């Protein structure tokens, strides 16, 4: 078997005396959706932040395409093709939809003004609209400020942004939170489309039916440790819940 | 209390009528001009406007920097002291060049450069404290505010430093309407700041960081480096304000920027920026500073003790904050 697309080995993360993550091994392959589940405080978001380069692990190793990586900042991971949707919305509410979609990778006007950093807002509006549409998300007008959008619309923009930029891995931390049933269904479709494109998808959710529906494999975290890692076919709702709470082990 | 409430409501209606906060500020300014002119017609003259602009230029200079800082979610209390310190250091440099018999214009150019560098240095110290030692901007810049003020006093012995090029004062004479050469340069700087805040990456990142620092960081923006740049810019503009005062007074006075940080913050807030970050415009700051300095001149001319300025400014700030509260409220409520 070849190396997994993206992998962490034996990573731990301590916040002061709190051990949020304790020697976790985690892999994601191309064209695969991995469901990452666990109780509140289990360490899911911490693992996400390590995968995305937002936090440095206290110990452990990270490999992308079999190459050892030490992300110094989210920028490094982004440039390597790893996109992340954070649980606590990663959008800037005072900026427009398109400014958010293009945040950190702005388009510039041609010529010397572009060299000085002058922005091509028109091109960004247009392209942001197209990108969001292509992802299959109901697009709010891309020149409105994000603070004027509903929670569901914001989430849609954040997901669209992540999916349209990801080239290898996309990590979605509770993307269906605050969404209605129909919108949540859209998000699940978006994930399947990303998988079909060959991306590795990490899906974190508390809604177990969603996880059982779209995931190829499920990884369970409890108190900072990986306690289960198996194909979805080996779980049903009851067994999964038992594994999360610690009432039964796989 | 009730009075304030109804005022805020009618203000809000005016705003809805015109839509645009800057337009409202312009109306406030026109109303002030009309008011002061009605009390004393001398107010409406080129000489008085020239004077207002002389007061306005240094205030708007440091308020421009403060606009970037406040939009980024921070605050810079050190700018007033930086004005004094940079003026003093530049004054010594120019005095030295004059005793060497150097060219006056060369001395002014070098003095300006020195003032700018002193300002940038203070700004970089602020940025360093904020990004590396994680001190909140309020405390970090309070520290440099004290340090810069102390240095300026010690270095100058507490007295204005003269003996520089005479041409500096001549520069402050208006020749283009009410504008002097330094005044015109300030207008140019205003335009450049507006372009970079509203149309370029530098401004986009400033808004993004003030709006949601985590989002900016995870979007791959080098947030710490941007903070450094923003505080360096604020320092640079304070340094230039120090040179502006030098040209006006003909000497570098350690206290020339005294209280300048409060004027700057007031101008920015009156201009519609939010101290919580993510909101603000250069046009608002420009008008905020203009309203502030018009108030000072106007009160003097109509014979009211200038101490009343503080009261008027307080009312203006309260009105601006109320207006902002309404704006946020109506935004949230319409959803
Ligand atoms: N920035 C932080 N500082 C201190 N403790 C933290 C921080 N982030 C998370 N934790 C702690 O680490 C543990 C794991 O949190 P988290 O990864 O957010 O869990 P989950 O996403 O699974 O709910 C919790 O005990 C949490 O309180
Ligand atoms: Mg979480």
């Amino acid at each position: 078997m070849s190396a997994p697309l993206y992998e962490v080995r034996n990573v731990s993360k301590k916040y002061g005396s709190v051990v949020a993550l304790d020697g976790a091994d985690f892999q994601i392959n191309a064209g695969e959706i991995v469901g990452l589940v666990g109780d509140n405080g289990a360490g899911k978001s911490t693992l996400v932040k390590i995968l995305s380069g937002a936090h440095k692990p206290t110990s452990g190793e990270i490999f992308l395409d079999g190459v050892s990586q030490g992300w110094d900042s989210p920028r490094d991971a982004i440039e390597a093709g790893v996109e992340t949707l954070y649980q606590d919305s990663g959008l800037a509410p005072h900026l427009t939809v398109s400014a958010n979609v293009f945040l950190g990778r702005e388009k510039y006007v041609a010529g010397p003004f572009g060299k000085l950093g002058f922005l091509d807002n028109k091109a960004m509006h247009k392209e942001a609209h197209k990108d969001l549409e292509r992802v299959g998300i109901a697009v709010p007008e891309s020149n409105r400020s994000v603070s004027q959008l509903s929670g569901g619309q914001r989430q849609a923009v954040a997901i669209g942004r992540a999916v349209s930029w990801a080239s290898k891995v996309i990590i979605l931390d509770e993307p269906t939170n605050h969404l209605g049933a129909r919108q949540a269904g859209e998000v699940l479709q978006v994930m399947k489309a990303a998988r079909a494109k060959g991306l590795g998808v990490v899906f974190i959710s508390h809604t177990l039916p969603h996880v059982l529906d779209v995931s190829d494999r499920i990884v369970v975290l409890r108190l900072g440790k990986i306690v289960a890692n198996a194909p979805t076919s080996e779980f049903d709702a009851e067994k999964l819940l038992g594994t999360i709470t610690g009432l039964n082990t796989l | 209390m009730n009075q304030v409430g109804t005022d805020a409501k009618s203000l809000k209606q005016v705003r809805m009528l015109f839509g645009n906060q800057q337009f409202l500020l312009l109306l406030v300014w026109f109303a002030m001009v009309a008011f002061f002119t009605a009390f004393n017609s001398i107010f409406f003259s080129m000489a008085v406007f020239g004077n207002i602009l002389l007061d306005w230029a240094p205030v708007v200079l440091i308020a421009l920097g403060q606009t970037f800082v406040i939009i980024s979610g921070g605050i810079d209390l050190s700018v007033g002291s930086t004005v004094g310190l940079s003026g003093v250091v530049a004054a010594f440099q120019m005095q030295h060049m004059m005793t060497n018999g150097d060219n006056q214009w060369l001395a002014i150019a070098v003095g300006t450069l020195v003032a700018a560098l002193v300002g940038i240095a203070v700004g970089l110290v602020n940025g360093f404290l904020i990004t590396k030692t994680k001190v909140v901007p309020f405390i970090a810049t309070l520290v440099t505010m004290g340090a810069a003020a102390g240095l300026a006093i010690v270095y100058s012995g507490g007295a204005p430093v003269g003996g520089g090029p005479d041409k500096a004062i001549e520069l402050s004479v208006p020749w283009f309407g009410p504008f002097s050469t330094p005044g015109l340069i300030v207008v140019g700087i205003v335009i450049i700041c507006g372009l970079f805040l509203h149309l370029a990456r530098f401004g986009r990142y400033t808004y993004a960081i003030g709006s949601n620092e985590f989002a900016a960081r995870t979007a791959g923006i080098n947030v710490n480096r941007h903070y450094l740049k923003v505080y360096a810019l604020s320092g640079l503009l304070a340094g230039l304000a120090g040179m502006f005062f030098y040209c006006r007074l003909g000497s570098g006075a350690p206290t020339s920027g005294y209280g300048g940080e409060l004027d700057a913050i007031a101008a920015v807030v009156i201009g519609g920026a939010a101290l919580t970050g993510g909101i603000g415009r250069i046009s608002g700051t420009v008008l905020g500073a203009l309203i502030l300095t018009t108030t000072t001149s106007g009160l003097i001319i109509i014979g009211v003790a200038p101490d009343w300025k503080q009261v008027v400014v307080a009312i203006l700030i309260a009105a601006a904050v109320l207006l902002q509260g309404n704006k946020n409220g109506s935004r949230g409520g319409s959803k």
Side-chain angles (χ1 to χ4, degrees):
Chain A
M1 238 197 88
S2 64
L5 172 60
Y6 196 29
E7 181 179 19
V8 296
R9 283 186 213 153
N10 198 22
V11 291
S12 297
K13 177 71 186 178
K14 295 195 184 98
Y15 295 110
S17 62
V18 179
V19 182
L21 211 55
D22 187 5
D25 293 313
F26 181 82
Q27 311 84 27
I28 175 87
N29 298 300
E32 182 188 39
I33 299 179
V34 174
L36 179 60
V37 296
D39 225 336
N40 279 332
K44 304 182 295 297
S45 296
T46 302
L47 179 54
V48 165
K49 284 172 185 162
I50 286 169
L51 290 170
S52 73
H55 285 351
K56 265 195 173 307
T58 312
S59 63
E61 291 178 289
I62 304 174
F63 298 89
L64 182 67
D65 283 328
V67 179
S68 178
Q69 302 285 355
W71 309 132
D72 280 324
S73 76
R75 165 153 239 131
D76 295 346
I78 290 169
E79 280 173 359
V82 178
E83 279 292 325
T84 307
L85 168 74
Y86 296 88
Q87 181 176 0
D88 353 290
S89 170
L91 295 179
H94 301 94
L95 299 185
T96 63
V97 169
S98 61
N100 269 286
V101 169
F102 278 90
L103 193 59
R105 333 167 225 241
E106 285 74 12
K107 287 189 166 299
Y108 303 102
V109 295
F113 281 102
K115 292 240 163 19
L116 287 172
F118 282 88
L119 302 167
D120 191 346
N121 285 317
K122 251 195 209 139
M124 287 192 279
H125 280 315
K126 251 208 215 130
E127 225 171 287
H129 193 84
K130 267 208 319 246
D131 284 346
L132 293 177
E133 216 158 47
R134 181 157 6 98
V135 166
I137 279 170
V139 212
E141 270 182 65
S142 64
N143 56 0
R144 279 171 69 187
S145 109
V146 163
S147 64
Q148 295 170 301
L149 304 182
S150 71
Q153 287 175 315
R154 286 183 203 201
Q155 194 71 339
V157 171
I159 294 167
R161 171 194 151 88
V163 173
S164 62
W165 288 111
S167 64
K168 289 192 172 148
V169 177
I170 173 158
I171 303 161
L172 303 164
D173 194 353
E174 310 212 9
T176 54
N177 259 11
H178 319 298
L179 294 188
R182 194 184 58 78
Q183 287 171 313
E186 277 180 15
V187 171
L188 299 186
Q189 288 310 316
V190 167
M191 282 193 280
K192 288 179 184 167
R195 169 175 61 189
K197 262 183 21 188
L199 297 179
V201 182
V202 181
F203 173 41
I204 291 111
S205 178
H206 284 292
T207 316
L208 300 184
H210 287 167
V211 176
L212 289 163
D213 174 12
V214 295
S215 306
D216 302 301
R217 189 155 53 86
I218 296 180
V219 172
V220 183
L221 261 175
R222 179 157 14 98
L223 300 174
K225 286 193 162 78
I226 306 272
V227 295
N229 176 1
T232 306
S233 57
E234 291 183 23
F235 292 95
D236 57 35
E238 200 177 332
K239 191 167 167 192
L240 186 53
L241 191 61
T243 314
I244 290 169
T245 54
L247 291 178
N248 65 329
T249 48
L250 199 68
Chain B
M1 213 55 232
N2 217 345
Q3 187 60 41
V4 175
T6 45
D7 277 354
K9 216 180 210 164
S10 55
L11 271 179
K12 187 184 169 188
Q13 280 162 351
V14 173
R15 200 187 95 73
M16 295 218 311
L17 205 61
F18 297 107
N20 181 325
Q21 176 143 4
Q22 275 69 52
F23 195 74
L24 183 60
L25 285 172
L26 205 56
L27 287 184
V28 169
W29 185 69
F30 282 140
M32 283 182 142
V33 170
F35 176 83
F36 290 130
T37 305
F39 268 84
N40 189 342
S41 58
I42 288 175
F43 183 84
F44 202 82
S45 64
M46 202 54 110
V48 171
F49 287 135
N51 236 319
I52 290 175
L53 282 176
L54 273 182
D55 290 339
W56 170 84
V59 171
V60 86
L61 266 182
I62 56 179
L64 285 173
Q66 197 75 240
T67 308
F68 283 89
V69 169
I70 285 178
I71 291 173
S72 81
I75 193 127
D76 188 350
L77 299 176
S78 69
V79 283
S81 305
T82 305
V83 168
L85 179 62
S86 56
V88 166
V89 177
F92 274 120
Q93 174 62 30
M94 289 185 281
Q95 189 186 60
H96 175 74
M97 290 179 76
M98 282 302 97
T99 44
N100 274 0
D102 282 334
N103 178 289
Q104 295 219 10
W105 296 117
L106 180 67
I108 291 172
V110 172
T112 306
L113 186 68
V114 166
L117 290 176
V118 170
I120 290 174
V122 177
L124 287 176
V125 172
N126 286 332
F128 178 83
L129 289 174
I130 291 161
T131 58
K132 291 288 185 289
T133 68
K134 309 284 176 203
V135 180
V136 295
F138 187 91
I139 302 297
T141 59
L142 189 66
V143 168
T144 48
M145 171 187 175
L151 275 176
I153 299 281
V154 170
Y155 197 38
S156 65
V161 180
D166 300 328
K167 294 252 191 281
I169 315 181
E170 290 167 31
L171 273 178
S172 274
V173 177
W175 59 270
F176 186 77
F179 290 97
S180 61
T181 300
L184 287 173
I185 292 172
V186 171
V187 170
I189 293 173
V190 165
I191 292 168
I192 292 171
C193 284
L195 291 175
F196 275 90
L197 180 62
H198 298 301
L199 299 177
R201 175 184 49 213
F202 188 79
R204 177 66 48 87
Y205 286 4
T206 307
Y207 281 104
I209 290 169
S211 184
N212 183 347
E213 191 193 310
F214 182 72
R217 213 177 273 282
T218 54
I221 295 171
N222 191 334
V223 172
N224 284 352
R225 198 174 60 195
H226 197 77
Y227 277 133
L228 270 179
K229 288 185 194 168
V230 165
Y231 284 90
L233 173 67
S234 181
L236 162 68
L237 293 170
L240 293 180
M243 190 61 198
F244 188 93
F245 275 115
Y246 183 95
C247 290
R248 195 169 172 188
L249 306 171
S251 62
T255 54
S256 57
Y258 181 77
E261 63 284 341
L262 295 181
D263 277 346
I265 294 166
V268 175
V269 171
I270 291 170
L275 289 172
T276 46
I279 301 176
R281 296 197 68 81
I282 294 294
S283 53
T285 295
V286 166
L287 289 166
L290 189 60
I291 287 171
L292 221 60
T293 43
T294 303
T295 307
T296 316
S297 290
L299 291 178
I300 292 170
I301 284 173
I302 68 172
V304 175
D307 306 298
W308 278 95
K309 176 199 161 195
Q310 306 301 338
V311 178
V312 176
V313 170
I315 293 171
L316 287 169
I317 290 176
V321 169
L322 273 175
L323 208 65
Q324 207 161 57
N326 278 337
K327 201 160 60 182
N328 294 342
S330 64
R331 232 183 218 175
S334 67
K335 269 288 142 199

